[in-house]
Amino acid sequence: MPGLLRGVARTAVVAGTATAVSNRVSRRQQGRWAAQQEPQYAAPPPPPPPAAAPAPAGSDMSSKIDQLKQLGELKDQGVLTDSEFEEQKRRILQD
């Protein structure tokens, strides 16, 4: 009987060890697969911020007036010629 008991015990130890090693290998492999798949399942980037609301008509006109004043100053300083001034003024008023 002692030989039989020793054989059963040895089988149990071998089977238990094999199961433990197999489980450890499986967990490590699953961890590697999960690490490889993470970039695929990463959260999507946040949506772009909404476009700025168009400025009210009054501020658009004041912006044009400011630009025309700057053009007038450049013309007075001699930086712009009369034709350049007229061309830039036409572009500002056309927008």
Side-chain angles (χ1 to χ4, degrees):
M1 210 54 166
L4 182 62
L5 190 56
R6 186 179 310 154
V8 171
R10 182 179 301 157
T11 302
V13 168
V14 169
T17 302
T19 302
V21 169
S22 174
N23 288 341
R24 182 171 180 230
V25 169
S26 289
R27 282 193 304 270
R28 287 180 65 198
Q29 188 63 39
Q30 286 174 352
R32 287 180 184 160
W33 289 340
Q36 289 174 354
Q37 292 177 353
E38 281 180 18
Q40 295 174 0
Y41 298 110
S59 71
D60 186 44
M61 184 55 84
S62 65
S63 169
K64 288 181 180 184
I65 291 172
D66 290 339
Q67 290 176 346
L68 289 172
K69 286 180 183 177
Q70 290 174 352
L71 275 178
E73 290 172 5
L74 290 173
K75 181 184 171 197
D76 292 342
Q77 294 171 1
V79 175
L80 293 176
T81 64
D82 288 337
S83 61
E84 291 172 333
F85 172 77
E86 291 299 325
E87 176 65 24
Q88 293 300 323
K89 182 174 80 170
R90 183 185 60 76
R91 286 183 183 175
I92 290 172
L93 294 175
Q94 192 175 31
D95 290 337

